[in-house]
Amino acid sequence: MLTFNYSIWILVLPAVMFLVLGLGGKYMKPVVSGVLGTITMAITTVLAYLTAYQYFFSVGKAADGTYKAIEAFNFEWLRFTDTLHIDLGMYIDAISSMMLIVITTVSLMVHIYSLGYMKGEKGFQRYYAFLSLFSFSMLGLVVATNIFQMYIFWELVGVSSFLLIGFYYTKPSAVAASKKAFIVTRFADFFFLIGILLLSYFTKTFDFGTLTAVGAPCFSSFAGASFLGISAISWTMFLIFMGGVGKSALLPFHVWLPDAMEGPTPVSALIHAATMVVAGVFLIARLFPIYLFQTPEVLHLIGYIGAITAIFAAVVACTQTDIKRVLAFSTISQIAYMITALSVSGYDGHDGLGYMASMFHLFTHAFFKALLFLGAGAIIHAVHSNEMDDMGGLWKKMPIANWTFLIACLAIAGIFPFSGFFSKDEILAAALHHDIVLFSILFIAAGLTAFYMFRLYFRIFHYENKQYHHAPHDAGPSMSIPLIFLAVVTVVAGWLIPFDTLITADGKAFESHIDPLVAGLSIGIALVGIVGAYVFYFKKNEKPDQVATSLGWFYRATHNKFYFDEIWMFATRSIIFKCVSKPMAWIDVNVIDGFMNGLAYVSHQASEAIKGFQSGRIQQYALIYLVGALVLIVTFCGWLVAFITK
């Protein structure tokens, strides 16, 4: 039987390249560091594809036709008990194999694209070192054999994003954005860690294989345990989900993601398309049997959080003018789509449609969202601005960017036959058959998605013919080739990959099909959105301003992202800082420091009082000794007389 012994190099290569470029990059020419990083990622990509191919078509398929998880390797790192220990290894199953393809492909495209986009930038070697670290962190996260290993790489992803978002460290807005991303996600990860500790306390294991086995006996220890009338297992799984809320930028922890656009545009593609932002989706998919069988009420709540986030982000995206922020809110909405799909899934056969659809959309979204961000980078590179008002009429000047961007917009809008149609159709079908309310919300969000994406497309490539200081043109081969490759994948992925056979909740293949009703409704609402965008934004007119004026406060609130940033700042400054941090600081200074300072003062005064006894004069020492001896003799004699007379 074939083994995955070589798969360890999928992690080792980017880790080694991070060290090589991080420590030795300053001694290399920039182009050398870029080429080294790109070649290493290309080799990693080949190994990832080989691993996925062997899993799906050879090693992973059991005799009964189901796909089983395989530990490529695993070694014990820290032991607490016989069953509770932290291991480090590689866990190869259907979703980790899929994620290996997604991460390495997108990362390779970003590496190639960055050779042109980042050319001449100060810190070019440092940039490629951070890309290698980011790739290593994301790969380690998806192949983790246990939840604590996942948490370690989860935090490494956070560190990597902090470094890349703040790459332009001399730019105050970039520094602020990197700190915001790091702090918000760390705040959410605190709940994740508590959830992990509670889970391990009750189940006595971190191991994914043990935890996700259907009917796992380790959950019997949760029986009867509760807090505030809610079962301990529900609290535990909700706290774990909170880590996903932060990383996947769901309400209310979404505020960091739009600001993360301060980093280089290829980094935005990596964050949005590879693993960081979809880590929350992957986390729920990895622990799906627990959520479904142990805490269905938490899974139901997760679905509504996802649906509300999807419609919220779609509405906000309709009013943003920075093209990267439009795409950021688009990502928030699409991630929420995937989360909601998991919540309306069963486990067996076709009942697990939501699970399959979520993974399918994660896969297709990765490629067309990477295409959108890299396309946006090409546009920004040409016009030197992120704002729509500085763009227009680029369809003739940048034909490659125009056609590839249009393909991505059609895919995310769910237009047949592009890949986004197939995956979004399956999500809507699963929602329709399980929860009509969730279906209705996602259906409206689908129409808004088509509207804001074609608003973006028309404003950039049509609308009006701008007069540019420098004639815009398509980028060179290093930037154009990734765009063309991702566009091709976006066109064919929905047709070629049988997700209902390869990636299912129970590991068993089932036959899915296009629901004519759902497909008709989905395409219909998308066309309504596209036509609406065409009417408002294909040519410059007064309609957008008139609608904005008529909507009044609602438009202002939407344009200001419903003031979530202001709410968080108020909560941080007025509640956390004033009501929590300030009293704690007072206690620290006046009680803790005061007590320690008091001890120091008493010690100082005591030493001042007795330091005269150490004068260095022998006569004084002899006198003190004599007096002390006499005191002891008199005391002893007094005690002896009292004892005899008694």
Side-chain angles (χ1 to χ4, degrees):
M1 179 183 290
L2 294 173
T3 62
F4 292 115
N5 291 335
Y6 63 86
S7 62
I8 183 62
W9 291 100
I10 295 173
L11 297 180
V12 171
L13 287 175
V16 169
M17 189 50 53
F18 163 66
L19 295 175
V20 169
L21 296 180
L23 298 176
K26 63 182 179 180
Y27 304 109
M28 305 177 188
K29 291 182 178 180
V31 66
V32 173
S33 61
V35 170
L36 273 178
T38 303
I39 291 174
T40 302
M41 184 48 57
I43 297 171
T44 305
T45 303
V46 171
L47 294 176
Y49 272 72
L50 181 59
T51 300
Y53 178 82
Q54 287 192 355
Y55 176 81
F56 284 121
F57 300 106
S58 177
V59 182
K61 200 167 187 177
D64 61 357
T66 60
Y67 286 98
K68 305 294 184 182
I70 297 172
E71 288 188 354
F73 73 92
N74 195 45
F75 70 91
E76 187 179 290
W77 180 38
L78 293 174
R79 173 176 285 271
F80 304 108
T81 68
D82 289 341
T83 59
L84 186 63
H85 43 84
I86 300 175
D87 298 345
L88 297 176
M90 291 188 69
Y91 190 78
I92 308 297
D93 68 346
I95 58 173
S96 63
S97 298
M98 176 199 71
M99 291 306 300
L100 288 178
I101 293 174
V102 168
I103 295 167
T104 54
T105 303
V106 173
S107 185
L108 178 60
M109 292 301 105
V110 168
H111 275 74
I112 296 171
Y113 183 93
S114 298
L115 290 172
Y117 188 88
M118 298 297 290
K119 185 178 180 180
E121 289 279 3
K122 182 180 180 181
F124 188 86
Q125 299 96 320
R126 172 168 54 90
Y127 171 81
Y128 269 89
F130 291 164
L131 282 187
S132 296
L133 177 63
F134 205 173
S135 301
F136 165 69
S137 304
M138 294 186 295
L139 291 166
L141 188 155
V142 299
V143 298
T145 61
N146 60 86
I147 195 168
F148 210 95
Q149 181 187 344
M150 176 185 274
Y151 182 75
I152 293 170
F153 282 95
W154 188 279
E155 295 304 308
L156 270 176
V157 168
V159 171
S160 305
S161 64
F162 170 79
L163 295 172
L164 283 168
I165 295 169
F167 176 77
Y168 299 116
Y169 58 86
T170 58
K171 187 178 177 183
S173 59
V175 174
S178 65
K179 291 191 293 185
K180 186 176 184 179
F182 190 79
I183 292 169
V184 171
T185 53
R186 292 298 72 68
F187 186 68
D189 291 349
F190 172 70
F191 297 109
F192 185 19
L193 179 59
I194 294 174
I196 292 174
L197 296 177
L198 285 173
L199 185 67
S200 62
Y201 174 79
F202 283 101
T203 63
K204 303 297 186 289
T205 185
F206 294 120
D207 183 65
F208 280 135
T210 304
L211 290 171
T212 58
V214 177
C218 59
F219 289 96
S220 60
S221 56
F222 275 102
S226 64
F227 178 68
L228 297 178
I230 300 174
S231 66
I233 181 64
S234 295
W235 278 114
T236 298
M237 298 313 296
F238 183 75
L239 288 170
I240 289 174
F241 167 66
M242 289 298 289
V245 171
K247 199 71 81 183
S248 290
L250 302 178
L251 284 171
F253 294 149
H254 67 285
V255 292
W256 68 269
L257 190 58
D259 289 356
M261 301 303 97
E262 291 290 341
T265 303
V267 171
S268 301
L270 199 58
I271 290 174
H272 288 252
T275 295
M276 179 172 179
V277 179
V278 298
V281 182
F282 182 82
L283 174 65
I284 298 172
R286 173 62 76 215
L287 301 177
F288 183 69
I290 305 176
Y291 281 105
L292 181 64
F293 296 117
Q294 304 293 339
T295 60
E297 69 285 354
V298 175
L299 190 61
H300 191 64
L301 176 61
I302 288 172
Y304 276 87
I305 292 174
I308 293 170
T309 302
I311 193 74
F312 160 81
V315 169
V316 173
C318 292
T319 62
Q320 301 304 299
T321 57
D322 183 315
I323 64 173
K324 289 174 68 176
R325 288 182 183 270
V326 173
L327 296 178
F329 279 102
S330 169
T331 298
I332 295 171
S333 183
Q334 296 302 304
I335 295 298
Y337 247 87
M338 303 170 203
I339 292 283
T340 308
L342 287 170
S343 76
V344 294
S345 179
Y347 191 72
D348 301 313
H350 195 273
D351 192 45
L353 178 63
Y355 180 94
M356 184 278 288
S358 178
M359 296 299 97
F360 194 8
H361 198 57
L362 188 158
F363 184 84
T364 60
H365 174 267
F367 297 109
F368 59 67
K369 185 51 62 72
L371 177 56
L372 286 167
F373 267 107
L374 296 184
I379 295 160
I380 294 168
H381 194 264
V383 303
H384 308 292
S385 175
N386 292 21
E387 289 292 327
M388 292 182 192
D389 290 340
D390 298 325
M391 303 171 189
L394 290 174
W395 69 280
K396 284 186 177 180
K397 297 178 175 64
M398 303 180 68
I400 294 176
N402 172 56
W403 286 108
T404 55
F405 205 89
L406 176 59
I407 288 171
C409 288
L410 290 168
I412 196 172
I415 299 298
F416 182 86
F418 300 94
S419 60
F421 162 78
F422 295 94
S423 55
K424 186 175 287 189
D425 179 78
E426 301 287 20
I427 291 177
L428 291 173
L432 178 62
H433 296 131
H434 281 80
D435 192 319
I436 190 64
V437 175
L438 292 180
F439 169 79
S440 301
I441 296 173
L442 295 183
F443 181 70
I444 296 170
L448 291 173
T449 300
F451 175 79
Y452 69 68
M453 286 309 305
F454 275 85
R455 167 182 178 262
L456 180 64
Y457 171 74
F458 290 140
R459 285 293 307 269
I460 294 171
F461 293 102
H462 297 279
Y463 199 61
E464 64 175 326
N465 292 315
K466 302 286 290 188
Q467 297 298 319
Y468 297 97
H469 295 295
H470 304 283
H473 57 83
D474 276 318
S478 67
M479 293 171 64
S480 296
I481 290 173
L483 294 179
I484 296 170
F485 174 82
L486 291 170
V488 172
V489 175
T490 297
V491 172
V492 304
W495 292 92
L496 297 182
I497 303 176
F499 264 70
D500 54 357
T501 300
L502 301 178
I503 301 177
T504 60
D506 60 356
K508 300 176 183 177
F510 68 90
E511 186 177 350
S512 66
H513 59 275
I514 296 175
D515 186 321
L517 173 62
V518 174
L521 291 172
S522 175
I523 293 176
I525 193 69
L527 290 176
V528 169
I530 293 171
V531 170
Y534 179 87
V535 170
F536 280 92
Y537 299 106
F538 188 77
K539 291 184 178 180
K540 189 173 183 180
N541 59 79
E542 301 299 322
K543 293 185 181 72
D545 292 335
Q546 292 171 356
V547 171
T549 302
S550 65
L551 290 175
W553 67 268
F554 182 76
Y555 178 85
R556 290 192 297 274
T558 305
H559 183 68
N560 288 287
K561 297 160 284 188
F562 291 98
Y563 303 102
F564 266 94
D565 285 285
E566 289 76 7
I567 293 170
W568 271 108
M569 289 305 298
F570 171 79
T572 302
R573 292 176 176 174
S574 301
I575 299 176
I576 297 177
F577 286 176
K578 288 185 179 179
C579 300
V580 179
S581 300
K582 196 172 182 179
M584 289 178 67
W586 186 91
I587 292 172
D588 181 53
V589 172
N590 295 281
V591 178
I592 298 174
D593 288 353
F595 176 72
M596 300 307 296
N597 291 337
L599 288 179
Y601 176 78
V602 171
S603 299
H604 176 73
Q605 293 302 314
S607 66
E608 286 289 335
I610 65 174
K611 69 180 181 180
F613 290 112
Q614 293 185 329
S615 62
R617 292 178 293 179
I618 297 177
Q619 298 90 333
Q620 180 182 0
Y621 292 167
L623 177 62
I624 293 173
Y625 176 79
L626 178 61
V627 171
L630 290 174
V631 169
L632 289 175
I633 292 171
V634 171
T635 301
F636 176 75
C637 290
W639 174 80
L640 185 62
V641 170
F643 179 76
I644 294 173
T645 55
K646 183 177 178 182

